[in-house]
Amino acid sequence: SFRLRQRARLYNIDTTDKFLGFNTSMNVNEKVIKKALSLSQKRSVELMCHPGVNTPDPGIYAEWGMDWDKEKKMIIDHLAGKFS
């Protein structure tokens, strides 16, 4: 990651300082969002999440255990100021 960031900067490609969500993919929760918000006070942070709408038949994604509604709710709750 560090080497890629350095190489990108050689070509004037901006990157975020921190990336969150890969290890918590499909399970973004209040703790993850609070961490992102805390880190973003000092540097740029990218948060990977998959907000959306669950479907009755998730098809090929069923085995992943995705909960798009939950991740969408976390983002909306943050924007609504339900946690800080």
Side-chain angles (χ1 to χ4, degrees), residues 65-77:
M66 286 280 227
D67 190 345
W68 294 291
D69 285 325
K70 178 183 163 198
E71 291 198 8
K72 178 180 66 180
K73 182 180 182 321
M74 285 288 115
I75 301 298
I76 291 170
D77 284 353

Side-chain angles (χ1 to χ4, degrees), residues 2-3 9 14 19 22 25 27-28 31 36 40-42 48 54 68-69 76 80 84:
F2 175 77
R3 285 188 289 177
R9 289 185 178 156
D14 289 329
F19 177 83
F22 188 78
S25 184
N27 192 25
V28 170
K31 180 180 175 183
S40 70
Q41 300 301 313
K42 300 174 186 162
M48 181 178 82
N54 290 344
W68 294 291
D69 285 325
I76 291 170
S84 57

Side-chain angles (χ1 to χ4, degrees), residues 1-68:
S1 174
F2 175 77
R3 285 188 289 177
L4 289 174
R5 182 178 292 125
Q6 293 301 101
R7 191 165 192 168
R9 289 185 178 156
L10 287 174
Y11 296 97
N12 294 319
I13 298 172
D14 289 329
T15 62
T16 58
D17 296 319
K18 187 74 174 166
F19 177 83
L20 297 173
F22 188 78
N23 293 336
T24 57
S25 184
M26 300 177 285
N27 192 25
V28 170
N29 55 38
E30 185 175 340
K31 180 180 175 183
V32 174
I33 292 177
K34 283 184 175 184
K35 182 175 182 178
L37 291 171
S38 172
L39 291 171
S40 70
Q41 300 301 313
K42 300 174 186 162
R43 51 191 169 168
S44 61
V45 177
E46 179 178 352
L47 173 63
M48 181 178 82
C49 61
H50 302 89
V53 176
N54 290 344
T55 60
D57 179 17
I60 63 170
Y61 303 108
E63 66 186 64
W64 292 5
M66 286 280 227
D67 190 345
W68 294 291

